[in-house]
Amino acid sequence: MLPVLVFFVAHWQISVFFQTFFLHRYGAHQQFTMTKGWERFFYLLTYLSQGSSFLSPRGYAILHRMHHAYSDTEKDPHSPLFFKNVFTMMLSTKKRYDAFAYYRETPEPRFDGHTPSWPLLEKLGQNWMARVAWGGLYTLFYLKFATTPWLFLLLPAHFIMGPIHGAIVNWCGHRYGYRNYESKDVSRNTLIFDFLTAGELFQNNHHEFPMSPNFAARRFELDPTYPVIVLLDKLGAIKIATPQRMRYPRRAEPETEAAVAAAAAE
């Protein structure tokens, strides 16, 4: 039993880490930069960690940028305000994701471009035979190490782990928790220590400061991905590219204050 539980937790944590680190903070927001070599390295690790539920960096970025632009409006591709339950939201999100990931639909130009690209690996990751092969590997592991039938209830989660992470973040992060900032949407911070989705459930913080590499804003909040980003920056693997940082309580940035003062003096 223990090997299966360890495998499940490890797959969950590693997969969600690369989703937030590579697909979200790097691919969608470009909060840090890296060389092409490091990009290929982290791209490969993202594919290996997500396996059968691999998400195209381009498809993910387009959908996420739309989410920020239209948060909790009818144009938001995955706002829980417009769905009866999380399952209908997941199905609708999949359809929109597929439209962009498989180039069936052209997005607004402002949502496209500047995403990690590796055509060969993306083609492999989007191939259904490869997805089925990954599922077969997960199943073989369970057949080898699962000692009780109930453990097999965990198996389907491995098949669609990436979308499950996204569903938890977008459903819970816009329905349950507290708000540090009075944003125009209904985003929430669901956990003060986001051990479940590696910092993604600080949705209210993130929507207020979308370019901040640290999703935690208050002293009691902990974004477990941010220390890894700082370490990789110090090691030279990446370079934090954005000056934006969380501020609580919110206050105007110095350059904004200077602009307001200058405008008032005219």
Side-chain angles (χ1 to χ4, degrees):
M1 183 173 72
L2 184 60
V4 169
L5 295 179
V6 170
F7 176 60
F8 181 84
V9 172
H11 189 199
W12 181 282
Q13 293 295 338
I14 295 171
S15 176
V16 77
F17 169 78
F18 282 104
Q19 184 164 323
T20 186
F21 169 79
F22 189 73
L23 297 181
H24 185 185
R25 305 187 204 207
Y26 176 65
H29 286 290
Q30 298 178 302
Q31 295 173 353
F32 44 86
T33 61
M34 62 181 73
T35 65
K36 194 65 177 180
W38 279 112
E39 181 180 288
R40 288 287 176 93
F41 174 74
F42 288 121
Y43 201 129
L44 178 61
L45 291 183
T46 299
Y47 170 66
L48 294 176
S49 66
Q50 291 190 322
S52 60
S53 65
F54 171 75
L55 296 172
S56 155
R58 178 180 177 270
Y60 180 98
I62 292 170
L63 221 61
H64 186 71
R65 292 166 183 172
M66 291 175 62
H67 170 62
H68 273 275
Y70 302 125
S71 185
D72 292 322
T73 69
E74 291 185 354
K75 289 186 176 181
D76 187 336
H78 44 60
S79 170
L81 296 183
F82 301 96
F83 298 95
K84 292 182 178 180
N85 56 65
V86 68
F87 301 105
T88 56
M89 186 186 76
M90 284 182 70
L91 181 59
S92 177
T93 302
K94 179 187 182 302
K95 291 179 180 178
R96 297 308 310 278
Y97 165 83
D98 285 350
F100 298 124
Y102 292 98
Y103 295 87
R104 297 169 186 164
E105 184 179 329
T106 302
E108 294 180 46
R110 60 175 172 153
F111 299 137
D112 203 356
H114 304 289
T115 57
S117 177
W118 192 348
L120 179 62
L121 190 56
E122 183 157 346
K123 186 176 181 180
L124 176 64
Q126 299 279 72
N127 182 278
W128 275 101
M129 291 300 293
R131 293 188 190 277
V132 170
W134 277 106
L137 290 175
Y138 304 147
T139 302
L140 288 174
F141 184 91
Y142 272 68
L143 289 172
K144 175 69 175 179
F145 295 104
T147 54
T148 57
W150 71 264
L151 287 173
F152 282 89
L153 295 175
L154 299 175
L155 182 58
H158 293 279
F159 303 154
I160 55 171
M161 191 159 283
I164 288 175
H165 292 149
I168 290 172
V169 170
N170 291 301
W171 186 264
C172 297
H174 285 252
R175 290 182 69 93
Y176 312 118
Y178 63 97
R179 287 166 63 85
N180 286 333
Y181 308 102
E182 293 300 320
S183 56
K184 294 180 180 180
D185 56 27
V186 299
S187 56
R188 299 284 192 274
N189 299 318
T190 307
L191 300 172
I192 59 174
F193 169 36
D194 186 11
F195 60 90
L196 188 63
T197 62
E200 290 288 310
L201 281 170
F202 288 119
Q203 282 289 290
N204 181 241
N205 293 351
H206 176 54
H207 277 259
E208 189 71 10
F209 294 96
M211 287 301 293
S212 172
N214 185 2
F215 288 3
R218 303 176 70 173
R219 290 184 178 181
F220 58 79
E221 297 173 346
L222 179 60
D223 170 11
T225 299
Y226 181 60
V228 180
I229 290 174
V230 172
L231 176 61
L232 290 173
D233 178 78
K234 291 184 180 299
L235 293 174
I238 66 173
K239 181 176 178 58
I240 297 176
T242 169
Q244 188 178 84
R245 297 293 184 273
M246 292 285 175
R247 299 189 306 281
Y248 181 85
R250 202 192 206 297
R251 57 187 181 277
E253 298 182 41
E255 58 269 23
T256 304
E257 295 173 344
V260 170
E266 293 178 353

